[in-house]
Amino acid sequence: MAFVEEQVGPPVRELGASRLPGRAMAIHLREIVQAPRWLVTCVRLAPSVWRRLRAFAPAQISDDEAIEALGVGLARYAAVEVPTCLLGGDRSPANLRQRWEALAKVLPRVRSVVVLRRHGHAAHLTAPTEVAWAVEDFTDSVLERR
């Protein structure tokens, strides 16, 4: 899956160079998250949602720059020797599902892949109890408590 091997590159540099939090978040959503333009437009038209997202801009820029600094290389995850749980939602964007599927193929100790039904990328907000149960089940299996 070549897309996992690609660096984020120019969008991260453009995002970091932007001093406007709204512009930075629009770049992040379109170019890095790969959200469709119509969705970004809709989010921008919801003032309370857009205000909250803009508030995350400085931290999001830092996160994106840190990820970019790692460079490309799915193969490096083959050296992760800790038990791993991959957690996603069946409504997550396709590019995120493809990434966790690619990770599942290279991580040597994937203990579980949990796909939360009827939830997407923000399941920690929309279904915190289900996320907590998934983490608890994984922890119990690693610690052999069940």
Side-chain angles (χ1 to χ4, degrees), residues 36-122:
R37 284 189 177 278
W38 67 264
L39 180 60
V40 176
T41 300
C42 288
V43 170
R44 291 180 90 165
L45 293 173
S48 64
V49 173
W50 192 239
R51 254 191 316 279
R52 276 186 276 153
L53 279 178
R54 284 189 0 236
F56 291 125
Q60 190 62 66
I61 291 168
S62 294
D63 285 354
D64 291 341
E65 288 173 340
I67 291 167
E68 174 72 7
L70 291 173
V72 297
L74 186 61
R76 77 170 145 254
Y77 294 98
V80 176
E81 288 295 334
V82 296
T84 307
C85 172
L86 299 174
L87 177 62
D90 67 358
R91 292 186 180 170
S92 293
N95 64 318
L96 295 181
R97 287 193 308 271
Q98 291 167 339
R99 283 173 170 80
W100 89 58
E101 290 167 359
L103 280 170
K105 290 178 183 174
V106 297
L107 285 165
R109 296 192 60 202
V110 174
R111 295 282 287 262
S112 61
V113 176
V114 178
V115 180
L116 298 175
R117 294 184 63 227
R118 297 181 308 280
H119 293 287
H121 184 60

